[in-house]
Amino acid sequence: MTSTVTFFDHRADFATGTPRYRQIYTRIKNAIYDGVLKADDRLPSARALAKEWGVARGTAEEAYQLLKDEGYVLAKGPLGCFIHPHVKPRDPAANKPLPLLSSDQKANRDQAELLPFQMGLPALDAFPRGPWQRMTQRLLREMLQAAYRNAPRTGLTELKASIAQYLSVSRGFDCLPDQVIITGGYRHTLSLVAQALGGEGKAWVEDPGYPPTRQLLQALGFTPVAIPVDEQGMDIDAAYRQAGDAKMAVVTPAHQSPLCCTLSLKRRQALLAWAREANAFVVEDDYDGEYRMASRPLPALKHLDQDDRVLYMGTFSKVLIPSLRLAYLVVPRAQITHFNRVFLSLYDSQPTLAQKQVAEFMAEGRFARHIEATRRLYKQRREQTVSGLLAVLGDYLTIDPQPGGMHIIARPRFIGQASIDDCKLAQRCIKNGLYANALSTWYTAQPQQGLLMSYTNISSPEALEEYANILKTKVFGAH
């Protein structure tokens, strides 16, 4: 039997600086983690919650929508919203607490204004605005009234077909359009995978690795097991020793995030052998596999997958524009029905116009040409950024050699001083209008020090010299 949960003990005392809908979302999510809200508990209506908390109804609806999008809440039509049965309270003994973000790191992560060295963004000045605008205007003229409605829940047929064709040519593996599910970004995709695989068990994650991966898996019931990464990528032998009975492995084989090394062929084969023997799945996050500068892009790990154990994740945020919020998941053929069923029970479709824009862009051949053009541009900008920074800051930092990727790793030479660490340096960067992310925050054990900085939007040597001098005087304190 379900019960409606009330929040009269949680009347909002809202903090400044954070949107109210997100504060409501955070309080409800924390109540789930703490066991205050339990599986199948019914939440009050958005109208009742708004009245109770003294906010606009739209604010409450936005908080609920975010909870639904991330899989914490399940909407059952006129019956209302319920805590999803797959979401479990946090087990305080399962994992040590993840480090909290400092205020400077939060500003770093959520920065709305584009800062020099901003991570996670393609070259915005290289986006073909003119052709994109003309294509969009034509699509709007041609679209019938029916086409303005929601797209098919798992994605437009023409976009799925374009993605399948692109992957065959660019990433070296074949798939059916029906294997492709269109999602709303990395968290959306990984949430779908975690829900479809049962939401429990151990999961190999890279150490260092993208922090939201550990956090999201843990929130959805998995136990992340941090596997060390060296110059050949994830150490599969260490993974066997630590958690051979894991249910899933999440890897970035093309350019390990954040170290940018490539998973070696021997380890790729060992990883796939483990998945076959353990009846487990490998989640391949190919977030920027197209951008290899040392040679032509390597085929995806999925290219070697003879047993259909690889779930392939791709995104348009890193190659087009992040505001599209479009990504995709390629599922094994035997899992199409299961993943579709899970998706349809939890998620809505992505905007029709955005999907049509990308599908048309790919069908016209502009997508492949854009990637080729940006690959050349990124090689130039990376070389320019590395040489420019070392010319000014050679006494203060070194820069790792990398085969590709969309960021650099700068390692301060005097990082061993007790009074200086990469978190403090990253905070100084933010305070002085530059972006940097502390490498140590990506580790769970034996953290290394460094600054992660993107070069994709550094468009001129003159601008780079200005930024390098700010780093030298304001961040490193040189005179």
Side-chain angles (χ1 to χ4, degrees), residues 8-26:
F8 59 88
D9 290 331
H10 300 273
R11 179 167 291 276
D13 178 18
F14 291 111
T16 59
T18 302
R20 291 189 171 190
Y21 82 89
R22 182 164 285 278
Q23 294 184 56
I24 296 173
Y25 153 84
T26 300

Side-chain angles (χ1 to χ4, degrees), residues 268-286:
R268 291 179 184 227
Q269 293 170 333
L271 178 61
L272 295 175
W274 163 78
R276 179 180 64 250
E277 295 163 3
N279 194 29
F281 285 92
V282 176
V283 181
E284 178 179 11
D285 178 14
D286 198 29

Side-chain angles (χ1 to χ4, degrees), residues 214-470:
R214 303 192 299 268
Q215 296 163 352
L216 183 58
L217 290 175
Q218 187 172 327
L220 292 173
F222 277 89
T223 302
V225 180
I227 308 301
V229 170
D230 59 25
E231 66 278 359
Q232 296 185 58
M234 177 184 277
D235 187 338
I236 308 303
D237 289 339
Y240 266 106
R241 293 192 299 268
Q242 290 180 235
D245 59 342
K247 194 173 184 177
M248 171 173 55
V250 183
V251 294
T252 50
H255 302 127
Q256 196 277 331
S257 177
L259 299 184
C260 285
C261 56
T262 300
L263 188 65
S264 67
L265 177 59
K266 180 179 179 181
R267 290 189 178 178
R268 291 179 184 227
Q269 293 170 333
L271 178 61
L272 295 175
W274 163 78
R276 179 180 64 250
E277 295 163 3
N279 194 29
F281 285 92
V282 176
V283 181
E284 178 179 11
D285 178 14
D286 198 29
Y287 66 102
D288 70 350
E290 293 89 352
Y291 295 122
R292 184 176 178 84
M293 316 316 179
S295 64
R296 297 294 298 175
L298 300 175
L301 173 68
K302 180 68 176 173
H303 168 76
L304 300 173
D305 181 24
Q306 299 298 314
D307 301 291
D308 229 8
R309 309 304 301 180
V310 174
L311 299 157
Y312 179 91
M313 296 170 56
T315 179
F316 293 106
S317 293
K318 298 293 190 294
V319 293
L320 290 175
I321 44 178
S323 58
L324 284 171
R325 301 304 305 159
L326 286 182
Y328 55 92
L329 174 69
V330 179
V331 305
R333 295 190 185 191
Q335 299 289 329
I336 292 174
T337 300
H338 173 62
F339 270 81
N340 282 344
R341 185 183 299 119
V342 173
F343 185 94
L344 293 175
S345 69
L346 294 176
Y347 304 110
D348 290 322
S349 60
Q350 299 308 305
T352 303
L353 178 58
Q355 293 192 58
K356 282 189 168 292
Q357 287 172 312
V358 176
E360 188 76 7
F361 198 67
M362 298 181 82
E364 292 178 350
R366 294 185 180 277
F367 182 72
R369 293 198 296 273
H370 176 66
I371 289 177
E372 189 63 35
T374 50
R375 186 184 294 127
R376 293 192 299 268
L377 177 66
Y378 289 169
K379 182 177 182 180
Q380 172 191 340
R381 287 189 175 178
R382 187 184 190 282
E383 292 173 352
Q384 171 184 285
T385 300
V386 170
S387 61
L389 289 178
L390 291 179
V392 176
L393 292 158
D395 292 336
Y396 301 92
L397 56 77
T398 61
I399 297 178
D400 289 2
Q402 297 166 194
M406 298 170 64
H407 68 271
I408 61 172
I409 304 176
R411 299 184 186 269
R413 291 184 181 275
F414 59 96
I415 205 71
Q417 293 184 11
S419 60
I420 299 292
D421 62 28
D422 59 355
C423 290
K424 291 181 180 179
L425 292 174
Q427 291 167 8
R428 291 180 187 175
C429 286
I430 294 295
K431 289 177 180 178
N432 288 281
L434 304 178
Y435 185 102
N437 197 266
L439 175 61
S440 63
T441 63
W442 293 54
Y443 282 85
T444 58
Q446 298 181 333
Q448 296 181 19
Q449 306 282 300
L451 298 176
L452 305 177
M453 308 166 77
S454 175
Y455 58 82
T456 55
N457 284 285
I458 306 299
S459 57
S460 72
E462 294 76 19
L464 177 62
E465 184 178 5
E466 177 186 348
Y467 306 148
N469 282 314
I470 293 174

Side-chain angles (χ1 to χ4, degrees), residues 24-41:
I24 296 173
Y25 153 84
T26 300
R27 292 187 186 199
I28 295 177
K29 183 179 70 172
N30 288 342
I32 295 171
Y33 284 162
D34 294 339
V36 176
L37 297 180
K38 299 178 176 60
D40 296 320
D41 279 347

